[in-house]
Amino acid sequence: MEKLSKEFYLQNNVVSVAKQLLGKIITVNNKKQSQQFRIVETEAYRGYDDKACHASNGMTNRNKVMFKNGGICYVYLCYGIHHLFNVVTNTEGNADAVLIRAVEPLVIETVNTNGPGKWTKEAGITTELNGADLLKKEIFISEEDKSNFRPVVASKRIGVEYAGEHALRLWRFYFGDSDFVSKKFKQDKILINSSTID
């Protein structure tokens, strides 16, 4: 499987990238072991006009990685417990990122991956990977060999109610047929054409 190119991460539409990342394979090579996971749920966060985004109030020591060129990891600790893994996108200064909310394990024995903190724990991902280059060996994302059609669903992002009207944006995407998606709601919208929301 070929790694995604630097150009993929430099795309200027983070919502589009969030959809494109569905089905891609994450490979994690760490002290624990080498593991692979298929991305089945993502959320887009846009730096310049998104109150749900960590960068909405400018650069801080915590979010400074988001302001770099796309193609690196933004990993932060949530509630002092969960390590959440994000893919930084767009060019330097834009602070766009895609949260990887859930994945399907390619090794069936690994099952606890239906949430953003669960899968990173399973994969051994911590803040030590914050800023890591996704074009190198430690962690990277690649295309899957298969291209089977899977229904893509759009939904509101989870846990961002504080963002007001921005919390209503349908910027969470997932495979409707996956058992590993963190949450599904009746009002979620199946995308016939995945380019209809941006």
Side-chain angles (χ1 to χ4, degrees):
M1 294 182 288
E2 186 175 351
K3 291 180 185 177
L4 298 181
S5 67
K6 185 70 171 179
E7 288 70 29
F8 176 90
Y9 299 110
L10 295 178
Q11 294 179 76
N12 63 11
N13 187 333
V14 68
V15 179
S16 175
V17 174
K19 288 180 281 188
Q20 292 175 54
L21 281 169
L22 291 176
K24 302 292 191 290
I25 304 299
I26 297 180
T27 299
V28 184
N29 296 305
N30 55 29
K31 297 173 185 177
K32 187 177 179 181
Q33 58 187 315
S34 179
Q35 298 179 86
Q36 289 188 314
F37 307 91
R38 181 182 296 106
I39 299 171
V40 296
E41 183 182 359
T42 62
E43 285 182 344
Y45 290 89
R46 190 160 66 193
Y48 75 87
D49 70 341
D50 180 10
K51 291 180 181 177
C53 181
H54 282 183
S56 63
N57 292 319
M59 187 185 298
T60 65
N61 189 56
R62 181 196 195 195
N63 69 23
K64 61 186 179 183
V65 166
M66 293 182 70
F67 288 82
K68 297 184 178 182
N69 265 329
I72 60 175
C73 307
Y74 170 45
V75 184
Y76 66 89
L77 196 60
C78 182
Y79 304 125
I81 303 172
H82 306 294
H83 292 90
L84 302 194
F85 175 85
N86 299 260
V87 175
V88 176
T89 69
N90 212 332
T91 52
E92 186 173 356
N94 285 285
D96 293 347
V98 177
L99 171 66
I100 307 302
R101 277 198 62 88
V103 297
E104 291 173 347
L106 297 193
V107 177
I108 206 66
E109 289 81 4
T110 308
V111 294
N112 196 19
T113 61
N114 62 340
K118 293 179 182 179
W119 84 264
T120 55
K121 181 178 180 181
E122 193 69 47
I125 291 174
T126 69
T127 51
E128 289 183 6
L129 278 177
N130 189 40
D133 190 339
L134 288 168
L135 297 180
K136 295 192 175 176
K137 184 179 179 181
E138 190 172 13
I139 184 166
F140 59 88
I141 302 175
S142 54
E143 294 280 3
E144 189 177 15
D145 293 336
K146 299 183 290 185
S147 58
N148 295 336
F149 173 80
R150 301 181 69 175
V152 175
V153 179
S155 176
K156 293 187 295 184
R157 293 170 294 183
I158 295 173
V160 296
E161 291 77 10
Y162 58 85
E165 63 181 16
H166 293 181
L168 302 177
R169 292 172 170 171
L170 303 182
W171 285 5
R172 179 169 73 101
F173 305 99
Y174 63 85
F175 282 143
D177 62 350
S178 176
D179 294 329
F180 290 88
V181 171
S182 61
K183 288 185 180 180
K184 298 180 182 180
F185 304 106
K186 289 182 179 179
Q187 67 269 29
D188 290 350
K189 178 180 180 181
I190 295 178
L191 298 179
I192 304 301
N193 180 348
S194 63
S195 65
T196 55
I197 293 179
D198 54 28

